[in-house]
Amino acid sequence: MQKNIIGNWGSDLSDGDYACALAALGVLESRGTEQHPASLDSHAIAAALAAEFEDGERTPVWRAAQNVGPHTSLADWQATRHTAAAALAAGWRCHAARCADAPRRQPRLAMRHLGRPDLVDDDALYAWLRHPDVGLTALIEALPFPPRPRVAWHWPLRVGVLPEGDDEPLLATLQDPQGKPDWALRLARCHEVGGAAHDHCDLLIVTPRGLDTLRSRPRCRVRAGFVVCLAGTRAGPPRPDRRPLLDLLHAAGLAIQRGIQEPAQLNDWFVSLIYQASHDLPIHAALSQASLSRGQRPPFVLGSTDALDGCRILAIASQQDRLEEALQARSARHFAGAGEAGMARAFRARGFMSETHDGVRAAEDLAQQRDDNAAAREPRWIQARLRAGQGTGAPAQALAPGRWNLLAAGIGPSLLPRDDAPFPESRLSFDHGDVALTVQLEMSGVSLAPYPQRRTDLTASSTALGGAQLAEFAAWSSGRAATAPPDDGPAQIALVSMPITLPPVGDSTAACFGIFPQPGVERCEGRLSIIHNNRVLQSSRLSLDVASNATAGGALPLRTEGLIHPRDDDLDERQAYDVAIQVSDLGGHLHLSIQRDDATTPVDLDSLEEPITLITKALKEAAILWDFSQGLLDQAAFGDTLYALAANGSLLAQHLRQKCGDGIDDWERIQLVPTTNKFLPLEYVYDGPPPSTDAAPCPNLLAALEHGSCCHPGAGSNACAPCPQRDDKSTVCPLRFWGFSRMIERCGTQSPPIADQAASVPSKQAYRHVDRLLFGASARSFAYKPTAAEQAAERASLLADLGTLATTVLDAPDWKTWRQHAASKPELLVLLAHTDIYRNAPILEIGDLQRLGRQEIIRDISGADGQPQLLLLLGCSAAGVSEDFQPYPERFRDAGVSIVLAPIAPIRGGDAVPIARSIATLLARRLASPNPTAFGELLPLIRRQLLREGHLGILSIVGFGDGDWLLGGQ
């Protein structure tokens, strides 16, 4: 090869020395062209190189300080103060010798694709830097600027595979323990991403077709720290597509790995990759060394060097140290003697030469440090302070009338004692520093406007506004008019949101809102909600009087209204949601507060009270009119029920579309958070064409229910073609109901008074194998059989079917026995109970008139002990729509049950028993599956399968609980 990378510089050297000199020059000029003096001393040059490599913790970009652009001349390119090329070669060899026995300190480099052939041949430069004498552990192509905020890196590694097409078979090979040492199984946890369970992973292993699939999705939810494309003999994605892929996946880098076509090759390569990563090599170096160790050419790697250097064990320790130091700095005000954070320092001192001793031990040490940091964290609460806009920056306790007031809200430690639940961030991931959240404010009787204050020193705990801040707010409010109040009727609801950032400790930034009370309003009710990735985490209520002489005071009195989940210390591992919908009757009328990304939309529901009532009425009548002796399509009750649900559900859909636009078609994962006991039948929103009055069930609905899409049977047993009735107003398809096609996480309206730190976390602990199942049933549940013998046989048959789901089935004929069995902590509860009123109080009945008051549903009834637990509650109308919606699911969830399935309309024994049997069978299959399914994704599958089997009662069953619980895949 020609030695003309920088004119004739170094051309008199041997090939090996020339390559080493080029590498050394590029490193010395990676951060500055004059940062290091010219030298003839190889040891001084080696020391300068070590400083640039930061003892193996940095990947320099070759000659990045040259800042080559379109106007860079050849003279500029060839100019350098390091003219002694031979000395640079000697210095490089000296540095390489010093770290020869420490692979994680060995040099690695990045180069940018300059695209200036008049200055340098990029391919020739790459070939020189690949010279064996240079001895790089990795040579990558650097991005000119970093990608979007990337996914946090973990150890052990979370390895993701797409669940479809060419990618599906990869998972079986990666999970197969055959041929893998124990440490490899412990240090890599492989699962599907982008399917029914996980969205995020550290390492995404994907095929070229898989990348095409990701690019084609309207809303790609998959997030990966690093991507490896197994290209086989192909070139992988073309160059223009590579950077957009990294932005799409929020990845630090992309590798194109060739030569892996057989499962045995994939297995060997994967074990070698985990081996290298366990020795604390950053991912790009681990990949290159995994290939070289197998006699293969290193993969092409593209990425941001800073981000890639963070994809290693040492970087995780450094980040956790920063959090520990921040916690210690804050606690130093209260006590002395905290030790210095030093996990990274300890890791630097380790040799990291053993995957078992060092790699496995590092995972254990990091986990212990995370737990210690969580225990040391100071609790924080939602907080707010009001400035009444009267010329003083002091906090107030009431709104001033006739002017704009300033409300600052955020999250921070409380100076006053509080007995309500703190913000649920026990071990919220601060792996990349501050966490971005959204504060949503809804309030009655006011006009609201976001106030984009430009000062980062204003927090929720700030005691007063300075003169400059007062002047800024006065200038903002002087040119802003208040929204005109309504002529009559209840006070209208205003809704607005603003972003905040929450640091690992201390106060968040403040979300600031302008509040203008409407004339005549004396008291304003409001709600502050904290939202992350379209998921409501917590909400608090506040009440503000309107008074001309606002009483001075400190923080406003807030009361935690709801903990949506007992714990949220795994948000970075949760599935992303498309929209958060809160159902509220704040201000005296039913409405929705909708948050999608940065957009906030209020939706009034007063005009939809009748359709909502008619939906519940249709479900009740269907239970009464259903003839169990006829098939699904053979009775009029089915067609009438389907039409009534679709007609009224279409009104809901049209109303949402009018307020939120066509973007509702992309709401595939929805969090529904009711803050009222009024019912919103979101599962029955109908997105098909508005049905005509003579509409009938679609003739192809059985095929649609089987395949999960609007289709009809084609040629062949498994073929399915698009349904010709899809846009026909004269047909109704159940798949067009949101509950049959979309994931809806229906949360509760009540919560424990404090966060339950004993509760399990969905992404960290899957719903386990069912060892014990606790069963109880009212004798009335089997009364659809005419004789006592037949009823006993039906009950015995159900118990036998439940036995396929659990190792042990515990049968409770009364509540005393139930409590005794509950003490054994069963994973699954099945209740076919009768709901009734006894002595003017609500009760659940099992056995022969064995009654349990609703008030008696506490922990001794559930047996919950912090482990995931599921309740199938098929009792009449256990979640019945009345003045008090979902009373029994709420009580059981407050008693520790994680997931509840219950009907919102009456369900007869003739349907409840076969539904229980079918759900048990389906759950057994899912729990035995090697691939997990999230609870929220499972509900549409249950509805489709059971309706196809002819169980109309499934239409009224809804799920309550965290949609991220994983079933199966253990």
Side-chain angles (χ1 to χ4, degrees):
M1 293 186 293
Q2 292 185 333
K3 302 184 183 76
N4 62 352
I5 298 300
I6 306 173
N8 63 359
W9 180 91
S11 58
D12 57 331
L13 300 176
S14 67
D15 284 0
D17 281 349
Y18 181 72
C20 291
L22 276 178
L25 178 66
V27 172
L28 295 177
E29 293 187 351
S30 64
R31 286 193 276 208
T33 57
E34 299 183 3
Q35 186 170 352
H36 300 284
S39 177
L40 297 176
D41 184 350
S42 61
H43 294 286
I45 294 172
L49 291 172
E52 289 298 326
F53 283 116
E54 296 180 1
D55 203 25
E57 294 181 33
R58 176 174 177 257
T59 303
V61 179
W62 192 85
R63 293 197 91 192
Q66 286 286 333
N67 294 317
V68 174
H71 303 296
T72 303
S73 67
L74 184 61
D76 294 333
W77 173 253
Q78 295 180 357
T80 179
R81 70 190 308 181
H82 302 285
T83 57
L88 292 185
W92 180 271
R93 293 183 186 276
C94 180
H95 172 72
R98 289 175 179 175
C99 53
D101 295 331
R104 61 184 181 148
R105 294 177 54 214
Q106 291 171 3
R108 54 187 187 274
L109 261 177
M111 55 173 285
R112 287 183 178 149
H113 183 78
L114 299 178
R116 287 290 305 274
D118 55 321
L119 301 181
V120 62
D121 183 336
D122 289 324
D123 292 336
L125 173 60
Y126 183 86
W128 278 115
L129 295 177
R130 272 289 174 205
H131 193 282
D133 283 18
V134 178
L136 294 177
T137 57
L139 176 61
I140 70 169
E141 181 175 319
L143 288 172
F145 47 90
R148 292 179 180 179
R150 63 178 182 86
V151 175
W153 198 253
H154 298 77
W155 187 253
L157 282 181
R158 305 171 306 165
V159 182
V161 174
L162 297 180
E164 55 215 345
D166 295 348
D167 296 69
E168 184 180 8
L170 300 178
L171 185 62
T173 301
L174 297 177
Q175 290 181 332
D176 186 0
Q178 189 72 27
K180 292 185 179 69
D182 177 68
W183 55 262
L185 298 173
R186 296 174 65 182
L187 296 178
R189 300 167 181 172
C190 305
H191 56 254
E192 291 181 350
V193 290
H198 300 279
D199 286 336
H200 292 192
C201 61
D202 300 308
L203 179 65
L204 175 64
I205 300 177
V206 66
T207 67
R209 289 185 180 176
L211 289 178
D212 292 341
T213 299
L214 291 174
R215 276 196 298 260
S216 66
R217 291 179 178 175
R219 185 180 177 95
C220 178
R221 299 184 182 84
V222 174
R223 299 287 182 266
F226 189 85
V227 182
V228 177
C229 177
L230 301 179
T233 58
R234 298 170 57 182
R239 180 176 293 275
D241 292 344
R242 293 169 186 171
R243 171 59 196 245
L245 269 172
L246 295 184
D247 286 339
L248 179 70
L249 300 173
H250 292 222
L254 164 70
I256 299 174
Q257 180 73 56
R258 298 177 185 164
I260 298 176
Q261 301 184 61
E262 301 297 329
Q265 293 175 320
L266 175 60
N267 187 75
D268 292 345
W269 167 82
F270 183 63
V271 171
S272 181
L273 173 60
I274 302 305
Y275 171 88
Q276 300 293 341
S278 73
H279 288 223
D280 189 35
L281 267 64
I283 187 62
H284 51 303
L287 271 168
S288 296
Q289 293 305 300
S291 296
L292 290 172
S293 67
R294 300 173 64 251
Q296 293 183 327
R297 185 177 179 181
F300 168 82
V301 179
L302 168 75
S304 163
T305 54
D306 288 344
L308 289 170
D309 287 337
C311 298
R312 64 184 297 181
I313 295 171
L314 181 59
I316 302 171
S318 297
Q319 177 60 42
Q320 292 191 180
D321 280 352
R322 287 192 287 273
L323 174 56
E324 184 177 341
E325 289 162 1
L327 291 168
Q328 290 177 353
R330 187 164 185 88
S331 65
R333 297 178 309 171
H334 307 293
F335 60 89
E340 181 185 357
M343 185 65 70
R345 185 175 63 252
F347 281 9
R348 290 186 182 99
R350 291 185 189 175
F352 272 93
M353 303 301 293
S354 166
E355 52 281 2
T356 301
H357 180 72
D358 294 313
V360 173
R361 181 180 160 202
E364 296 168 348
D365 290 345
L366 290 170
Q368 183 61 55
Q369 188 185 32
R370 279 194 298 271
D371 291 342
D372 292 344
N373 284 347
R377 188 181 298 279
E378 184 180 19
R380 295 184 277 189
W381 283 265
I382 300 177
Q383 300 201 53
R385 289 180 182 264
L386 178 68
R387 278 83 183 181
Q390 295 176 313
T392 173
Q397 295 290 310
L399 295 167
R403 68 183 69 199
W404 284 98
N405 300 257
L406 176 63
L407 180 77
I411 300 168
S414 177
L415 299 178
L416 300 175
R418 291 181 61 165
D419 59 358
D420 57 337
F423 181 71
E425 45 94 15
S426 172
R427 287 199 299 267
L428 190 65
S429 174
F430 293 95
D431 289 343
H432 294 303
D434 298 352
V435 173
L437 300 169
T438 297
V439 178
Q440 183 191 88
L441 172 64
E442 62 171 328
M443 186 167 279
S444 65
V446 301
S447 296
L448 290 179
Y451 173 60
Q453 61 98 8
R454 294 179 290 277
R455 302 175 68 96
T456 58
D457 56 344
L458 179 60
T459 69
S461 298
S462 299
T463 56
L465 294 181
Q469 291 170 320
L470 283 172
E472 289 175 1
F473 181 66
W476 174 85
S477 59
S478 62
R480 183 176 294 272
T483 305
D487 294 331
D488 51 25
Q492 295 299 295
I493 296 297
L495 183 67
V496 70
S497 66
M498 288 288 284
I500 61 170
T501 55
L502 181 67
V505 297
D507 290 313
S508 72
T509 58
C512 294
F513 308 97
I515 305 178
F516 197 113
Q518 294 174 351
V521 175
E522 297 180 352
R523 188 172 183 80
C524 305
E525 299 291 334
R527 174 179 291 109
L528 285 165
S529 301
I530 306 298
I531 299 173
H532 178 272
N533 276 350
N534 297 321
R535 187 192 296 264
V536 179
L537 306 183
Q538 191 179 49
S539 61
S540 288
R541 286 290 296 266
L542 71 159
S543 298
L544 296 175
D545 292 329
V546 181
S548 56
N549 55 343
T551 303
L556 294 174
L558 300 179
R559 187 73 187 175
T560 298
E561 183 180 43
L563 281 175
I564 309 308
H565 305 131
R567 286 170 60 185
D568 275 308
D569 51 15
D570 61 340
L571 288 178
D572 61 323
E573 301 178 45
R574 299 279 195 112
Q575 295 192 102
Y577 277 38
D578 297 321
V579 65
I581 301 177
Q582 295 189 79
V583 190
S584 172
D585 56 2
L586 195 72
H589 63 130
L590 193 63
H591 65 278
L592 307 179
S593 300
I594 297 178
Q595 189 78 34
R596 176 171 165 81
D597 300 330
D598 297 327
T600 302
T601 308
V603 177
D604 186 84
L605 294 180
D606 281 347
S607 63
L608 295 177
E609 285 190 6
E610 184 180 22
I612 291 173
T613 301
L614 290 174
I615 285 174
T616 60
K617 182 173 182 286
L619 292 170
K620 292 178 181 178
E621 291 182 351
I624 297 171
L625 298 175
W626 194 251
D627 184 351
F628 295 105
S629 66
Q630 295 185 0
L632 185 69
L633 301 178
D634 298 329
Q635 47 188 312
F638 178 61
D640 292 343
T641 300
L642 214 57
Y643 169 76
L645 295 175
N648 292 289
S650 181
L651 292 173
L652 295 179
Q654 292 171 42
H655 190 69
L656 286 173
R657 192 176 298 277
Q658 180 184 15
K659 300 293 183 180
C660 303
D662 291 337
I664 67 171
D665 294 330
D666 299 326
W667 296 358
E668 296 179 356
R669 295 179 181 171
I670 303 168
Q671 186 195 39
L672 181 63
V673 182
T675 56
T676 171
N677 286 327
K678 294 183 179 179
F679 175 58
L680 175 68
L682 199 66
E683 290 84 354
Y684 308 96
V685 172
Y686 186 76
D687 63 14
S692 59
T693 55
D694 60 348
C698 177
N700 300 310
L701 68 84
L702 293 181
L705 292 171
E706 179 181 3
H707 292 277
S709 62
C710 288
C711 60
H712 73 98
S717 58
N718 295 321
C720 195
C723 180
Q725 278 80 31
R726 177 176 173 81
D727 298 319
D728 187 354
K729 296 176 62 175
S730 66
T731 61
V732 176
C733 177
L735 234 62
R736 307 301 291 271
F737 293 111
W738 281 11
F740 279 76
S741 59
R742 309 195 185 198
M743 201 216 88
I744 299 173
E745 176 183 285
R746 184 179 281 277
C747 304
T749 60
Q750 305 171 31
S751 64
I754 60 173
D756 185 0
Q757 292 304 316
S760 46
V761 177
S763 70
K764 298 183 184 298
Q765 182 179 19
Y767 184 85
R768 59 184 189 252
H769 168 74
V770 179
D771 180 46
R772 294 175 179 271
L773 182 155
L774 179 51
F775 172 76
S778 167
R780 306 176 194 236
S781 301
F782 306 96
Y784 60 92
K785 291 295 184 179
T787 67
E790 289 175 300
Q791 292 171 14
E794 192 73 356
R795 193 180 195 280
S797 175
L798 175 57
L799 283 169
D801 289 331
L802 294 177
T804 65
L805 180 56
T807 306
T808 303
V809 176
L810 306 169
D811 188 4
D814 54 58
W815 291 111
K816 180 180 179 180
T817 307
W818 177 280
R819 282 189 175 91
Q820 292 171 349
H821 289 327
S824 66
K825 301 177 177 56
E827 296 87 2
L828 180 61
L829 312 176
V830 178
L831 263 176
L832 272 62
H834 173 67
T835 58
D836 210 335
I837 299 294
Y838 177 73
R839 299 178 66 186
N840 290 323
I843 57 102
L844 281 179
E845 177 187 295
I846 62 173
D848 292 316
L849 302 179
Q850 300 298 307
R851 304 180 183 97
L852 180 78
R854 189 190 300 172
Q855 74 282 357
E856 296 181 87
I857 301 175
I858 55 177
R859 292 261 175 177
D860 67 337
I861 288 294
S862 68
D865 65 341
Q867 300 297 323
Q869 190 180 58
L870 187 150
L871 165 64
L872 180 57
L873 179 58
L874 300 179
C876 298
S877 183
V881 179
S882 60
E883 292 301 317
D884 185 17
F885 170 54
Q886 62 189 52
Y888 288 106
E890 288 286 5
R891 292 295 302 176
F892 277 102
R893 293 197 65 224
D894 284 350
V897 176
S898 312
I899 306 169
V900 180
L901 292 178
I904 60 170
I907 183 167
R908 292 158 61 190
D911 224 6
V913 172
I915 284 177
R917 182 180 288 115
S918 294
I919 290 179
T921 303
L922 182 58
L923 278 176
R925 286 204 300 266
R926 289 289 167 174
L927 288 171
S929 170
N931 299 318
T933 302
F935 167 61
E937 303 280 0
L938 181 64
L939 278 177
L941 300 177
I942 290 176
R943 292 189 182 103
R944 293 198 295 265
Q945 176 171 317
L946 268 67
L947 185 62
R948 184 171 177 270
E949 293 175 359
H951 306 303
L952 188 69
I954 195 63
L955 287 173
S956 69
I957 291 179
V958 295
F960 304 85
D962 197 324
D964 283 329
W965 280 111
L966 301 182
L967 297 96
Q970 300 175 56

